[in-house]
Tab-separated table of all heavy atoms in Angstrom:
chain	number	residue	atom	x	y	z
A	1	MET	N	118.002	57.041	122.805
A	1	MET	CA	118.317	56.861	121.475
A	1	MET	C	117.676	55.507	120.973
A	1	MET	O	117.940	54.444	121.532
A	1	MET	CB	119.872	56.794	121.143
A	1	MET	CG	120.129	56.479	119.715
A	1	MET	SD	121.980	56.508	119.453
A	1	MET	CE	122.456	55.037	120.290
A	2	SER	N	116.905	55.620	119.944
A	2	SER	CA	116.348	54.372	119.362
A	2	SER	C	117.321	53.641	118.582
A	2	SER	O	118.026	54.208	117.793
A	2	SER	CB	115.091	54.776	118.393
A	2	SER	OG	114.639	53.673	117.732
A	3	LEU	N	117.330	52.284	118.768
A	3	LEU	CA	118.289	51.504	118.004
A	3	LEU	C	117.601	50.720	116.842
A	3	LEU	O	118.243	49.846	116.275
A	3	LEU	CB	119.143	50.591	118.873
A	3	LEU	CG	120.098	51.353	119.688
A	3	LEU	CD1	120.861	50.264	120.632
A	3	LEU	CD2	121.068	52.060	118.992
A	4	ASN	N	116.280	51.051	116.570
A	4	ASN	CA	115.798	50.522	115.301
A	4	ASN	C	116.608	51.003	114.124
A	4	ASN	O	117.058	52.206	114.183
A	4	ASN	CB	114.271	51.155	115.208
A	4	ASN	CG	113.355	50.401	116.191
A	4	ASN	OD1	113.643	49.351	116.707
A	4	ASN	ND2	112.299	51.087	116.494
A	5	ASN	N	116.654	50.247	113.186
A	5	ASN	CA	117.524	50.511	112.033
A	5	ASN	C	119.006	50.443	112.305
A	5	ASN	O	119.894	50.924	111.467
A	5	ASN	CB	117.213	51.891	111.383
A	5	ASN	CG	115.680	51.953	111.015
A	5	ASN	OD1	115.000	50.958	111.038
A	5	ASN	ND2	115.263	53.085	110.705
A	6	HIS	N	119.435	49.874	113.389
A	6	HIS	CA	120.796	49.784	113.710
A	6	HIS	C	121.184	48.289	113.702
A	6	HIS	O	120.429	47.289	113.742
A	6	HIS	CB	121.155	50.321	115.103
A	6	HIS	CG	121.117	51.876	115.181
A	6	HIS	ND1	120.014	52.484	114.902
A	6	HIS	CD2	122.220	52.730	115.346
A	6	HIS	CE1	120.360	53.825	114.958
A	6	HIS	NE2	121.632	54.047	115.193
A	7	CYS	N	122.560	48.069	113.603
A	7	CYS	CA	123.058	46.668	113.419
A	7	CYS	C	122.483	45.723	114.449
A	7	CYS	O	122.180	44.562	114.082
A	7	CYS	CB	124.565	46.600	113.588
A	7	CYS	SG	125.391	47.683	112.263
A	8	GLY	N	122.235	46.057	115.731
A	8	GLY	CA	121.815	45.175	116.696
A	8	GLY	C	120.438	44.569	116.442
A	8	GLY	O	120.110	43.484	117.000
A	9	THR	N	119.628	45.204	115.694
A	9	THR	CA	118.276	44.655	115.289
A	9	THR	C	118.189	44.300	113.789
A	9	THR	O	117.090	44.057	113.262
A	9	THR	CB	117.253	45.765	115.624
A	9	THR	OG1	117.514	46.947	114.857
A	9	THR	CG2	117.151	46.121	117.033
A	10	CYS	N	119.371	44.203	113.241
A	10	CYS	CA	119.542	43.780	111.706
A	10	CYS	C	119.697	42.331	111.635
A	10	CYS	O	120.466	41.712	112.335
A	10	CYS	CB	120.593	44.499	111.051
A	10	CYS	SG	120.832	44.108	109.357
A	11	GLY	N	118.988	41.705	110.698
A	11	GLY	CA	119.109	40.305	110.371
A	11	GLY	C	120.536	39.855	109.865
A	11	GLY	O	120.792	38.651	109.849
A	12	HIS	N	121.261	40.810	109.495
A	12	HIS	CA	122.573	40.487	108.961
A	12	HIS	C	123.694	40.486	110.015
A	12	HIS	O	124.795	40.126	109.734
A	12	HIS	CB	122.970	41.540	107.882
A	12	HIS	CG	122.198	41.508	106.668
A	12	HIS	ND1	121.861	40.411	105.927
A	12	HIS	CD2	121.464	42.518	106.081
A	12	HIS	CE1	121.082	40.745	104.821
A	12	HIS	NE2	120.906	41.997	104.987
A	13	PHE	N	123.379	40.937	111.180
A	13	PHE	CA	124.267	41.106	112.278
A	13	PHE	C	124.547	39.853	113.114
A	13	PHE	O	123.610	39.282	113.502
A	13	PHE	CB	123.867	42.182	113.247
A	13	PHE	CG	124.779	42.303	114.464
A	13	PHE	CD1	125.942	43.038	114.314
A	13	PHE	CD2	124.429	41.802	115.638
A	13	PHE	CE1	126.838	43.159	115.413
A	13	PHE	CE2	125.291	42.061	116.829
A	13	PHE	CZ	126.476	42.709	116.593
A	14	GLY	N	125.729	39.463	113.325
A	14	GLY	CA	126.227	38.519	114.382
A	14	GLY	C	125.620	37.112	114.084
A	14	GLY	O	125.598	36.467	115.212
A	15	THR	N	125.364	36.635	112.938
A	15	THR	CA	124.854	35.373	112.944
A	15	THR	C	125.688	34.267	113.389
A	15	THR	O	125.426	33.027	113.589
A	15	THR	CB	124.306	34.970	111.541
A	15	THR	OG1	125.339	35.185	110.615
A	15	THR	CG2	123.146	35.970	111.138
A	16	GLU	N	127.080	34.439	113.654
A	16	GLU	CA	127.981	33.581	114.178
A	16	GLU	C	127.926	33.437	115.692
A	16	GLU	O	128.605	32.606	116.237
A	16	GLU	CB	129.479	33.958	113.647
A	16	GLU	CG	130.060	35.133	114.309
A	16	GLU	CD	129.656	36.486	113.846
A	16	GLU	OE1	128.553	36.638	113.261
A	16	GLU	OE2	130.467	37.475	114.019
A	17	LEU	N	127.274	34.400	116.357
A	17	LEU	CA	127.203	34.408	117.707
A	17	LEU	C	126.274	33.305	118.258
A	17	LEU	O	125.430	32.875	117.601
A	17	LEU	CB	126.643	35.695	118.276
A	17	LEU	CG	127.539	37.059	117.985
A	17	LEU	CD1	126.732	38.341	118.254
A	17	LEU	CD2	128.873	37.033	118.641
A	18	PRO	N	126.610	32.900	119.525
A	18	PRO	CA	125.564	31.972	120.100
A	18	PRO	C	124.205	32.409	120.106
A	18	PRO	O	123.900	33.704	120.233
A	18	PRO	CB	126.043	31.772	121.586
A	18	PRO	CG	127.490	32.202	121.552
A	18	PRO	CD	127.592	33.290	120.452
A	19	HIS	N	123.230	31.606	119.744
A	19	HIS	CA	121.884	32.039	119.489
A	19	HIS	C	121.326	32.839	120.672
A	19	HIS	O	120.655	33.787	120.479
A	19	HIS	CB	121.045	30.697	119.345
A	19	HIS	CG	119.575	31.049	119.007
A	19	HIS	ND1	119.198	31.635	117.866
A	19	HIS	CD2	118.443	30.948	119.633
A	19	HIS	CE1	117.857	31.843	117.788
A	19	HIS	NE2	117.382	31.432	118.973
A	20	GLN	N	121.569	32.365	121.904
A	20	GLN	CA	120.934	33.156	123.090
A	20	GLN	C	121.581	34.547	123.206
A	20	GLN	O	120.829	35.546	123.476
A	20	GLN	CB	121.190	32.302	124.366
A	20	GLN	CG	120.313	31.252	124.643
A	20	GLN	CD	118.795	31.741	124.661
A	20	GLN	OE1	118.450	32.819	125.184
A	20	GLN	NE2	117.981	30.885	124.145
A	21	GLN	N	122.814	34.675	122.933
A	21	GLN	CA	123.493	35.990	122.917
A	21	GLN	C	122.866	36.850	121.830
A	21	GLN	O	122.685	38.098	122.104
A	21	GLN	CB	124.985	35.918	122.675
A	21	GLN	CG	125.660	37.250	122.768
A	21	GLN	CD	127.164	37.109	122.583
A	21	GLN	OE1	127.738	36.089	122.174
A	21	GLN	NE2	127.872	38.305	122.870
A	22	LEU	N	122.703	36.363	120.695
A	22	LEU	CA	122.106	37.038	119.541
A	22	LEU	C	120.708	37.497	119.829
A	22	LEU	O	120.326	38.734	119.648
A	22	LEU	CB	122.078	36.254	118.258
A	22	LEU	CG	121.716	36.946	117.062
A	22	LEU	CD1	122.589	38.138	116.782
A	22	LEU	CD2	121.831	35.982	115.820
A	23	ILE	N	119.897	36.670	120.563
A	23	ILE	CA	118.549	37.105	120.859
A	23	ILE	C	118.651	38.258	121.885
A	23	ILE	O	117.882	39.120	121.790
A	23	ILE	CB	117.808	35.914	121.520
A	23	ILE	CG1	117.618	34.809	120.479
A	23	ILE	CG2	116.446	36.349	122.094
A	23	ILE	CD1	116.647	35.264	119.270
A	24	GLN	N	119.511	38.169	122.957
A	24	GLN	CA	119.719	39.214	123.899
A	24	GLN	C	120.063	40.556	123.219
A	24	GLN	O	119.593	41.587	123.578
A	24	GLN	CB	120.784	38.912	124.844
A	24	GLN	CG	120.278	37.825	125.877
A	24	GLN	CD	119.221	38.301	126.818
A	24	GLN	OE1	119.096	39.496	127.147
A	24	GLN	NE2	118.240	37.413	127.171
A	25	ILE	N	120.906	40.562	122.256
A	25	ILE	CA	121.296	41.673	121.562
A	25	ILE	C	120.170	42.276	120.788
A	25	ILE	O	119.894	43.533	120.818
A	25	ILE	CB	122.428	41.415	120.556
A	25	ILE	CG1	123.778	41.093	121.363
A	25	ILE	CG2	122.688	42.586	119.708
A	25	ILE	CD1	124.901	40.554	120.629
A	26	ARG	N	119.347	41.446	120.193
A	26	ARG	CA	118.224	41.921	119.376
A	26	ARG	C	117.152	42.524	120.298
A	26	ARG	O	116.452	43.586	119.880
A	26	ARG	CB	117.606	40.747	118.519
A	26	ARG	CG	118.550	40.371	117.418
A	26	ARG	CD	118.026	39.142	116.695
A	26	ARG	NE	118.839	38.918	115.428
A	26	ARG	CZ	118.630	37.857	114.760
A	26	ARG	NH1	117.722	36.940	115.034
A	26	ARG	NH2	119.525	37.693	113.687
A	27	VAL	N	116.940	42.004	121.465
A	27	VAL	CA	115.975	42.547	122.476
A	27	VAL	C	116.466	43.766	123.055
A	27	VAL	O	115.618	44.709	123.240
A	27	VAL	CB	115.591	41.417	123.522
A	27	VAL	CG1	114.768	41.984	124.497
A	27	VAL	CG2	114.944	40.227	122.818
A	28	ASN	N	117.728	43.834	123.428
A	28	ASN	CA	118.239	44.976	124.144
A	28	ASN	C	119.563	45.369	123.631
A	28	ASN	O	120.538	45.240	124.309
A	28	ASN	CB	118.213	44.635	125.568
A	28	ASN	CG	118.366	46.022	126.461
A	28	ASN	OD1	118.619	47.036	125.937
A	28	ASN	ND2	118.040	45.820	127.708
A	29	PRO	N	119.660	45.970	122.460
A	29	PRO	CA	120.989	46.240	121.927
A	29	PRO	C	121.766	47.312	122.596
A	29	PRO	O	123.027	47.164	122.655
A	29	PRO	CB	120.600	46.759	120.423
A	29	PRO	CG	119.198	47.135	120.505
A	29	PRO	CD	118.563	46.224	121.578
A	30	GLU	N	121.146	48.033	123.459
A	30	GLU	CA	121.899	49.131	124.102
A	30	GLU	C	122.809	48.568	125.216
A	30	GLU	O	123.824	49.112	125.538
A	30	GLU	CB	120.967	50.204	124.744
A	30	GLU	CG	120.295	51.072	123.625
A	30	GLU	CD	119.195	51.740	124.167
A	30	GLU	OE1	118.315	51.311	124.888
A	30	GLU	OE2	119.118	53.059	123.893
A	31	GLU	N	122.389	47.324	125.729
A	31	GLU	CA	123.168	46.642	126.893
A	31	GLU	C	124.301	45.852	126.201
A	31	GLU	O	125.127	45.324	126.916
A	31	GLU	CB	122.249	45.813	127.747
A	31	GLU	CG	121.360	46.608	128.647
A	31	GLU	CD	120.694	45.697	129.685
A	31	GLU	OE1	120.957	44.492	129.650
A	31	GLU	OE2	119.921	46.292	130.374
A	32	SER	N	124.356	45.752	125.000
A	32	SER	CA	125.446	44.927	124.402
A	32	SER	C	126.291	45.867	123.443
A	32	SER	O	126.938	45.359	122.398
A	32	SER	CB	124.793	43.872	123.538
A	32	SER	OG	123.963	43.007	124.306
A	33	ALA	N	126.412	47.148	123.729
A	33	ALA	CA	127.163	48.091	122.871
A	33	ALA	C	128.588	47.692	122.766
A	33	ALA	O	129.166	48.090	121.707
A	33	ALA	CB	127.011	49.446	123.418
A	34	ASP	N	129.199	46.882	123.645
A	34	ASP	CA	130.602	46.534	123.476
A	34	ASP	C	130.866	45.341	122.624
A	34	ASP	O	131.918	44.964	122.359
A	34	ASP	CB	131.248	46.384	124.918
A	34	ASP	CG	130.539	45.314	125.646
A	34	ASP	OD1	129.277	44.960	125.356
A	34	ASP	OD2	131.205	44.699	126.568
A	35	VAL	N	129.873	44.701	122.177
A	35	VAL	CA	129.994	43.441	121.342
A	35	VAL	C	130.403	43.883	119.916
A	35	VAL	O	129.910	44.897	119.325
A	35	VAL	CB	128.626	42.668	121.292
A	35	VAL	CG1	128.792	41.582	120.288
A	35	VAL	CG2	128.339	42.203	122.632
A	36	VAL	N	131.284	43.252	119.389
A	36	VAL	CA	131.656	43.368	117.965
A	36	VAL	C	131.494	41.989	117.264
A	36	VAL	O	131.988	41.066	117.688
A	36	VAL	CB	133.194	43.847	117.808
A	36	VAL	CG1	133.500	43.926	116.253
A	36	VAL	CG2	133.306	45.262	118.394
A	37	ALA	N	130.728	42.094	116.125
A	37	ALA	CA	130.493	40.827	115.470
A	37	ALA	C	130.226	41.094	114.009
A	37	ALA	O	130.295	42.330	113.494
A	37	ALA	CB	129.192	40.199	115.876
A	38	GLY	N	130.126	40.057	113.155
A	38	GLY	CA	130.192	40.284	111.651
A	38	GLY	C	128.842	40.813	111.117
A	38	GLY	O	127.822	40.562	111.654
A	39	CYS	N	128.982	41.582	110.047
A	39	CYS	CA	127.919	41.916	109.289
A	39	CYS	C	127.908	40.952	108.086
A	39	CYS	O	128.878	40.882	107.383
A	39	CYS	CB	128.018	43.441	108.751
A	39	CYS	SG	126.900	43.605	107.393
A	40	HIS	N	126.791	40.232	107.968
A	40	HIS	CA	126.730	39.193	106.911
A	40	HIS	C	125.809	39.608	105.727
A	40	HIS	O	125.278	38.705	105.054
A	40	HIS	CB	126.327	37.817	107.554
A	40	HIS	CG	127.313	37.461	108.617
A	40	HIS	ND1	128.529	36.906	108.326
A	40	HIS	CD2	127.155	37.522	109.838
A	40	HIS	CE1	129.138	36.650	109.500
A	40	HIS	NE2	128.361	37.092	110.424
A	41	SER	N	125.673	40.903	105.540
A	41	SER	CA	124.981	41.304	104.305
A	41	SER	C	125.679	40.917	103.048
A	41	SER	O	126.876	40.987	102.937
A	41	SER	CB	124.963	42.915	104.277
A	41	SER	OG	124.457	43.280	103.051
A	42	PRO	N	124.906	40.222	102.110
A	42	PRO	CA	125.564	39.808	100.861
A	42	PRO	C	126.384	40.899	100.181
A	42	PRO	O	127.259	40.647	99.387
A	42	PRO	CB	124.493	39.283	100.058
A	42	PRO	CG	123.283	39.133	100.960
A	42	PRO	CD	123.495	39.979	102.140
A	43	GLU	N	125.873	42.192	100.373
A	43	GLU	CA	126.553	43.289	99.704
A	43	GLU	C	127.940	43.483	100.159
A	43	GLU	O	128.724	44.169	99.484
A	43	GLU	CB	125.677	44.615	99.805
A	43	GLU	CG	124.305	44.493	99.349
A	43	GLU	CD	123.549	45.718	99.560
A	43	GLU	OE1	124.051	46.894	99.323
A	43	GLU	OE2	122.317	45.695	99.991
A	44	VAL	N	128.312	43.048	101.385
A	44	VAL	CA	129.759	43.374	101.876
A	44	VAL	C	130.374	42.008	102.402
A	44	VAL	O	131.373	42.114	103.084
A	44	VAL	CB	129.671	44.352	103.081
A	44	VAL	CG1	129.025	45.675	102.559
A	44	VAL	CG2	128.813	43.805	104.241
A	45	ALA	N	129.750	40.926	101.936
A	45	ALA	CA	130.327	39.679	102.356
A	45	ALA	C	131.811	39.438	102.189
A	45	ALA	O	132.508	38.950	102.942
A	45	ALA	CB	129.598	38.533	101.767
A	46	ASN	N	132.331	40.054	101.188
A	46	ASN	CA	133.897	39.846	100.800
A	46	ASN	C	134.687	40.700	101.627
A	46	ASN	O	135.895	40.692	101.555
A	46	ASN	CB	134.054	40.041	99.299
A	46	ASN	CG	133.693	41.438	98.871
A	46	ASN	OD1	132.877	41.996	99.439
A	46	ASN	ND2	134.427	41.853	97.818
A	47	LEU	N	134.053	41.699	102.285
A	47	LEU	CA	134.802	42.610	103.210
A	47	LEU	C	135.139	42.144	104.526
A	47	LEU	O	135.855	42.766	105.290
A	47	LEU	CB	134.089	43.959	103.243
A	47	LEU	CG	133.873	44.724	101.883
A	47	LEU	CD1	133.287	45.935	102.003
A	47	LEU	CD2	135.299	44.869	101.199
A	48	HIS	N	134.298	41.101	105.157
A	48	HIS	CA	134.433	40.591	106.453
A	48	HIS	C	134.232	41.737	107.494
A	48	HIS	O	135.008	41.787	108.431
A	48	HIS	CB	135.621	39.746	106.665
A	48	HIS	CG	135.843	38.695	105.697
A	48	HIS	ND1	136.781	38.766	104.599
A	48	HIS	CD2	135.198	37.612	105.397
A	48	HIS	CE1	136.691	37.734	103.771
A	48	HIS	NE2	135.712	36.986	104.267
A	49	LEU	N	133.298	42.578	107.236
A	49	LEU	CA	133.071	43.697	107.946
A	49	LEU	C	132.636	43.426	109.513
A	49	LEU	O	131.808	42.473	109.712
A	49	LEU	CB	131.932	44.475	107.392
A	49	LEU	CG	131.436	45.842	108.088
A	49	LEU	CD1	132.583	46.800	107.891
A	49	LEU	CD2	130.305	46.445	107.312
A	50	GLN	N	133.196	43.998	110.419
A	50	GLN	CA	132.888	43.762	111.887
A	50	GLN	C	132.252	45.067	112.403
A	50	GLN	O	132.765	46.146	112.209
A	50	GLN	CB	134.211	43.462	112.686
A	50	GLN	CG	134.876	42.170	112.285
A	50	GLN	CD	134.149	40.961	112.856
A	50	GLN	OE1	133.907	40.859	114.028
A	50	GLN	NE2	133.805	40.059	111.862
A	51	VAL	N	131.138	44.892	113.041
A	51	VAL	CA	130.328	46.088	113.487
A	51	VAL	C	129.849	45.877	114.811
A	51	VAL	O	129.924	44.750	115.429
A	51	VAL	CB	129.125	46.312	112.504
A	51	VAL	CG1	129.621	46.719	111.174
A	51	VAL	CG2	128.254	45.092	112.468
A	52	SER	N	129.401	46.905	115.505
A	52	SER	CA	128.793	46.874	116.864
A	52	SER	C	127.240	46.945	116.770
A	52	SER	O	126.789	47.552	115.740
A	52	SER	CB	129.351	47.974	117.749
A	52	SER	OG	128.553	49.175	117.602
A	53	PRO	N	126.525	46.630	117.756
A	53	PRO	CA	125.086	46.819	117.665
A	53	PRO	C	124.606	48.227	117.394
A	53	PRO	O	123.519	48.361	117.014
A	53	PRO	CB	124.551	46.280	119.078
A	53	PRO	CG	125.626	45.300	119.520
A	53	PRO	CD	126.968	45.980	118.985
A	54	GLN	N	125.421	49.218	117.675
A	54	GLN	CA	125.024	50.612	117.463
A	54	GLN	C	125.418	51.118	116.076
A	54	GLN	O	125.088	52.214	115.837
A	54	GLN	CB	125.705	51.482	118.528
A	54	GLN	CG	125.205	51.148	119.983
A	54	GLN	CD	125.760	52.074	120.982
A	54	GLN	OE1	126.908	52.318	121.023
A	54	GLN	NE2	124.894	52.558	121.913
A	55	GLY	N	126.058	50.316	115.425
A	55	GLY	CA	126.316	50.737	113.877
A	55	GLY	C	125.104	50.760	113.109
A	55	GLY	O	123.942	50.457	113.570
A	56	SER	N	125.125	51.271	111.886
A	56	SER	CA	124.105	51.232	110.994
A	56	SER	C	124.484	51.375	109.581
A	56	SER	O	125.599	51.925	109.283
A	56	SER	CB	123.089	52.392	111.422
A	56	SER	OG	123.572	53.564	111.106
A	57	CYS	N	123.500	51.110	108.658
A	57	CYS	CA	123.761	51.394	107.274
A	57	CYS	C	122.413	51.303	106.519
A	57	CYS	O	121.521	50.824	107.096
A	57	CYS	CB	124.849	50.446	106.599
A	57	CYS	SG	124.236	48.842	106.051
A	58	ASP	N	122.444	51.527	105.293
A	58	ASP	CA	121.139	51.621	104.447
A	58	ASP	C	120.714	50.130	104.062
A	58	ASP	O	119.614	50.033	103.539
A	58	ASP	CB	121.323	52.391	103.116
A	58	ASP	CG	121.514	53.952	103.507
A	58	ASP	OD1	121.129	54.345	104.647
A	58	ASP	OD2	121.865	54.736	102.701
A	59	ALA	N	121.428	49.130	104.281
A	59	ALA	CA	121.114	47.805	104.008
A	59	ALA	C	120.447	47.185	105.146
A	59	ALA	O	120.214	45.931	105.193
A	59	ALA	CB	122.367	47.016	103.650
A	60	TRP	N	120.168	47.825	106.313
A	60	TRP	CA	119.458	47.244	107.399
A	60	TRP	C	118.149	46.481	107.066
A	60	TRP	O	117.390	47.007	106.253
A	60	TRP	CB	119.059	48.419	108.391
A	60	TRP	CG	118.373	47.852	109.578
A	60	TRP	CD1	118.960	47.388	110.728
A	60	TRP	CD2	116.971	47.823	109.908
A	60	TRP	NE1	118.012	47.082	111.694
A	60	TRP	CE2	116.792	47.311	111.095
A	60	TRP	CE3	115.891	48.168	109.156
A	60	TRP	CZ2	115.494	47.106	111.759
A	60	TRP	CZ3	114.564	47.972	109.694
A	60	TRP	CH2	114.502	47.406	110.987
A	61	THR	N	118.080	45.289	107.554
A	61	THR	CA	117.001	44.431	107.358
A	61	THR	C	116.487	43.925	108.616
A	61	THR	O	117.366	43.415	109.433
A	61	THR	CB	117.462	43.230	106.463
A	61	THR	OG1	118.048	43.774	105.313
A	61	THR	CG2	116.262	42.280	106.314
A	62	PRO	N	115.240	44.031	109.012
A	62	PRO	CA	114.816	43.741	110.380
A	62	PRO	C	115.089	42.184	110.676
A	62	PRO	O	114.849	41.220	109.817
A	62	PRO	CB	113.273	43.952	110.317
A	62	PRO	CG	112.913	44.062	108.896
A	62	PRO	CD	114.120	44.547	108.248
A	63	ALA	N	115.603	41.865	111.802
A	63	ALA	CA	115.900	40.513	112.233
A	63	ALA	C	114.518	39.791	112.218
A	63	ALA	O	113.563	40.363	112.778
A	63	ALA	CB	116.597	40.453	113.511
A	64	ALA	N	114.436	38.581	111.939
A	64	ALA	CA	113.264	37.781	111.961
A	64	ALA	C	112.703	37.601	113.388
A	64	ALA	O	113.546	37.573	114.361
A	64	ALA	CB	113.389	36.363	111.304
B	101	SF4	S1	126.226	47.166	108.648
B	101	SF4	FE1	124.083	47.416	107.812
B	101	SF4	S2	123.713	45.291	106.910
B	101	SF4	FE2	125.461	45.116	108.283
B	101	SF4	S3	124.496	44.496	110.290
B	101	SF4	FE3	124.662	46.724	110.280
B	101	SF4	S4	122.780	47.511	109.531
B	101	SF4	FE4	122.835	45.384	109.003
């Protein structure tokens, strides 16, 4: 399963996580499927949404 367009490769995912952990998730999101972290999309900021790297939505933005 490709995880392009999923939370693990989205720039809004998990910015509160330690930098090295976030890089690992972006490189290999399938190995971090059990991680739950914040979605920081401005569209849902007031909801404090928690997602996993395998989640997805139409606001996906590629991580830098
Ligand atoms: S829910 Fe959408 S915007 Fe939030 S991290 Fe996942 S793909 Fe990105």
Side-chain angles (χ1 to χ4, degrees):
M1 175 177 71
S2 170
L3 290 180
N4 287 335
N5 304 346
H6 285 66
C7 297
T9 58
C10 177
H12 297 306
F13 175 77
T15 54
E16 76 278 23
L17 295 173
H19 183 69
Q20 281 301 322
Q21 182 181 11
L22 187 55
I23 295 299
Q24 286 295 326
I25 292 170
R26 288 175 176 173
V27 170
N28 198 346
E30 290 167 311
E31 286 190 2
S32 304
D34 58 336
V35 173
V36 175
C39 165
H40 301 285
S41 167
E43 297 180 46
V44 297
N46 62 331
L47 300 180
H48 306 109
L49 185 63
Q50 296 285 304
V51 295
S52 88
Q54 294 183 317
S56 67
C57 86
D58 289 344
W60 180 84
T61 302

